[in-house]
Amino acid sequence: MLHSKGPLVSIDVGEREASETDITQVQRQYIGGRGVATRLAHERIPFDADPFGPENRAVFTTGPMQASQMSFTGRTNCTALSPLTDGLLSSNAGGFVSRHLAATGYGAVELAGASDELLAVHVTDEGVEFEEVPQLEEATVSETVEYLEDEHGISSDQTAVIGPAGEHEVRFASVMTTEERAFGRGGLGAVLGSKNVKAVTFEGDSAPDIEVPAGQMDIHREAATDDHIMKRQGTVSVMDLANEMDGLPSYYFSERSFEGVEGINGAAVESKKYKKATCSACAFACKLPTRDEERGVETEGPEFEVAMAFGSNSGVDDIVDVMQSNELCDEYGLDAISAGNTIAAYLDAEDEFGNTDLIWELVEQIAHREGVGDRLAEGIGRIHDDLGVENWSVKNMDFAAHEGRLLHGQGLSYAVANRGADHMYATFYSVEYPLVDEDEAMDPAGFDGKPERLVERENLMALNDSGVVCKFSRDFMSPERYEMLFGADFQDLLEVGARTVTLERHFNNQRGIDEADDRLPYEDELPGLDDAIQTYYDVRGWNDDGTVPETALPA
């Protein structure tokens, strides 16, 4: 089975020390990326750790596919104990940093401890250097990468940085790379902030020798030549369909369609797109550089989730307004989905939907934990009672745009996912929209056959995250192609994903997370959900209360 190579470098930023550990056996079992990082985190982070404490660890990893030149492989994984969900969580980002991380020769880079001074940590194939950077306190993402470029000749493509939101330990702060690509959901930027790490950089010429089969180029060629709508409109291309199906969350989830959808849909985004953009080695090029010269707004996106959170869910029908919200989140280092949804909750409480000046003011207040922003920085799950609004979150992770009240399998996924209400954990929505081949599609209503299918899709997404392969490769991948790329039976590869999901769940169980947390705010609208959850546990081999029996733990 193809797997990543290179040792773990564990960096104690408090002691300013780095040590190396051979992790070959872990890599053989878990391939790389999320799988390897999850196994390491499960072993090395205490079950009772404080997400903001020095005992938490943030682990950056790549996979064997970063040794290829195949499209859909420009991604990097980061795993830590989440300040938002209070469970083990992995997030991955696109851009160009993955191959720079691989070039250091390390298979995993772990940050532990906590520094007394604000640091930039420089990881190279010659070792680790610590630079005190007090001048970067409160610096935005762009100011931080500008400093690294000017002082060290390090490009934004080689960096993982935080903005003020991470420094202020906002529970949904992101880690940013290539300026506008995010390790977004779950607040991993706050983990770096708690360690007083402003930036991590990667540089070297020591990428391990991993031979990826030549068949990779068939996938690359198809990605280059396919006329996919995402190349023009990104993920926001699905917005009109979601709205037509009564599945577009609006006005803080109180409605499911938006009268102003034409102002924020795929065509609106495409009208502001001014060039192509992509991730490392990827010919699919689905990114969305956008700008409005009249307003002086320039950003990347928004994608569907952000167009929902700062658009329909906030009562905003102008794509340039959403672009400005997106740009602010990137600059301050905020997960734009959680920021938008949390602000939508405040707008609901104050009857201020559509007030863009207030929205932008709140983004800044959240990032700096000033005024009401200090409360909102805790996220919906922790402040909904204070605001007097419904709790639209699962495990404190607020909902993504794909509507579980319409797509019932996606609703089931939101309930049981170890990350909470996040759409990418299984991407189940992709088999419930009427956009796939008949042999792949499932009726969006009901749960017939869905728990079994959900387990398979969670395992497949964990495999992708371990590869690391972008999830938007789905139209170009097949069991046969996975077998060709990784040199193993497809079912054995899915087992790598299953072990990863089970380790996440077991870690979270030790922190008190179980069946009582696998709940939705709209359960009365989904008859049969409880039975579907129990079937899901049965297929996983877990206990009826959502805990992992010791006999089911990977060796």
Side-chain angles (χ1 to χ4, degrees), residues 239 302-312 322 325-326 335-337 401:
M239 179 171 275
E303 298 290 352
F304 177 43
E305 309 300 327
V306 179
M308 178 279 295
F310 276 111
S312 60
V322 180
S325 299
N326 189 75
D335 171 21
I337 304 174

Side-chain angles (χ1 to χ4, degrees), residues 37-174:
T38 297
R39 182 74 205 200
L40 293 173
H42 189 275
E43 295 173 352
R44 298 168 68 85
I45 300 175
F47 293 141
D48 62 351
D50 179 348
F52 294 129
E55 64 272 22
N56 195 4
R57 297 165 184 259
V59 187
F60 291 90
T61 46
T62 59
M65 289 301 110
Q66 278 60 63
S68 77
Q69 289 302 310
M70 188 182 86
S71 291
F72 308 111
T73 59
R75 302 199 71 84
T76 309
N77 175 80
C78 185
T79 298
L81 175 58
S82 166
L84 186 67
T85 69
D86 202 43
L88 198 60
L89 181 144
S90 294
S91 179
N92 72 51
F96 297 84
V97 73
S98 60
R99 287 175 169 82
H100 292 290
L101 171 52
T104 66
Y106 296 116
V109 175
E110 175 189 77
L111 300 177
S115 172
D116 291 334
E117 303 292 336
L118 194 64
L119 291 180
V121 179
H122 302 294
V123 183
T124 76
D125 53 1
E126 297 181 354
V128 178
E129 296 181 3
F130 302 91
E131 178 190 6
E132 293 185 6
V133 287
Q135 68 272 32
L136 293 182
E137 184 177 351
E138 301 284 354
T140 64
V141 169
S142 64
E143 289 168 345
T144 302
V145 298
E146 182 180 8
Y147 167 84
L148 294 168
E149 172 74 38
D150 291 346
E151 295 296 320
H152 300 285
I154 295 172
S155 78
S156 63
D157 295 340
Q158 298 171 262
T159 65
V161 309
I162 63 172
E167 291 183 62
H168 290 284
E169 298 181 1
V170 175
R171 289 187 186 269
F172 45 89
S174 56

Side-chain angles (χ1 to χ4, degrees), residues 322-363:
V322 180
M323 287 164 53
Q324 185 162 338
S325 299
N326 189 75
E327 180 185 18
L328 285 171
C329 288
D330 288 348
E331 271 289 85
Y332 292 128
L334 286 166
D335 171 21
I337 304 174
S338 288
N341 285 335
T342 304
I343 287 171
Y346 183 81
L347 298 177
D348 186 19
E350 299 295 320
D351 193 24
E352 288 282 0
F353 285 120
N355 187 339
T356 53
D357 288 335
L358 176 59
I359 289 170
W360 301 326
E361 180 182 349
L362 290 171
V363 172

Side-chain angles (χ1 to χ4, degrees), residues 162-389:
I162 63 172
E167 291 183 62
H168 290 284
E169 298 181 1
V170 175
R171 289 187 186 269
F172 45 89
S174 56
V175 179
M176 305 298 296
T177 182
T178 317
E179 286 200 52
E180 295 169 327
R181 312 294 172 85
F183 299 89
R185 310 232 69 190
L188 302 190
V191 176
L192 266 63
S194 71
K195 298 183 179 305
N196 231 358
V197 174
K198 185 68 173 179
V200 188
T201 71
F202 306 98
E203 187 172 8
D205 190 24
S206 301
D209 184 16
I210 300 174
E211 188 173 344
V212 181
Q216 63 172 293
M217 297 315 296
D218 293 335
I219 299 168
H220 187 70
R221 189 177 304 108
E222 290 174 19
T225 57
D226 190 81
D227 184 26
H228 200 290
I229 193 171
M230 280 187 63
K231 291 185 175 183
R232 305 195 323 269
Q233 298 183 359
T235 57
V236 78
S237 58
V238 78
M239 179 171 275
D240 283 331
L241 174 63
N243 196 60
E244 291 166 8
M245 294 177 68
D246 201 28
L248 178 61
S250 305
Y251 300 104
Y252 189 58
F253 303 101
S254 65
E255 299 182 22
R256 288 166 46 181
S257 63
F258 186 53
E259 69 281 1
V261 68
E262 290 185 0
I264 58 172
N265 63 7
V269 171
E270 187 176 5
S271 72
K272 299 298 179 181
K273 184 177 178 180
Y274 66 95
K275 65 177 181 179
K276 292 183 178 181
T278 191
C279 298
S280 176
C282 189
F284 193 59
C286 69
K287 307 315 293 182
L288 300 170
T290 54
R291 68 183 174 201
D292 184 87
E293 293 184 359
E294 182 178 347
R295 292 258 302 267
V297 176
E298 185 169 333
T299 188
E300 188 170 88
E303 298 290 352
F304 177 43
E305 309 300 327
V306 179
M308 178 279 295
F310 276 111
S312 60
N313 219 26
S314 296
V316 174
D317 61 4
D318 185 331
I319 194 61
V320 181
D321 289 337
V322 180
M323 287 164 53
Q324 185 162 338
S325 299
N326 189 75
E327 180 185 18
L328 285 171
C329 288
D330 288 348
E331 271 289 85
Y332 292 128
L334 286 166
D335 171 21
I337 304 174
S338 288
N341 285 335
T342 304
I343 287 171
Y346 183 81
L347 298 177
D348 186 19
E350 299 295 320
D351 193 24
E352 288 282 0
F353 285 120
N355 187 339
T356 53
D357 288 335
L358 176 59
I359 289 170
W360 301 326
E361 180 182 349
L362 290 171
V363 172
E364 296 196 29
Q365 288 185 343
I366 290 170
H368 295 94
R369 279 190 175 267
E370 295 175 346
V372 70
D374 187 37
R375 285 188 296 151
L376 298 181
E378 294 294 298
I380 289 170
R382 290 176 172 83
I383 54 95
H384 65 94
D385 279 340
D386 187 27
L387 294 179
V389 300

Side-chain angles (χ1 to χ4, degrees), residues 489-544:
D489 181 79
F490 185 60
Q491 291 304 314
D492 291 339
L493 292 170
L494 290 181
E495 278 301 308
V496 174
R499 292 195 293 271
T500 302
V501 172
T502 293
L503 281 177
E504 291 170 344
R505 173 63 67 142
H506 180 261
F507 188 101
N508 294 354
N509 289 157
Q510 309 315 300
R511 297 181 65 80
I513 298 172
D514 56 21
E515 187 271 344
D517 301 284
D518 292 345
R519 313 312 309 177
L520 296 172
Y522 46 80
E523 291 183 2
D524 57 343
E525 299 183 49
L526 301 183
L529 177 63
D530 286 343
D531 289 342
I533 290 174
Q534 287 301 317
T535 302
Y536 170 85
Y537 295 158
D538 290 343
V539 176
R540 281 273 177 223
W542 298 347
N543 297 320
D544 291 346

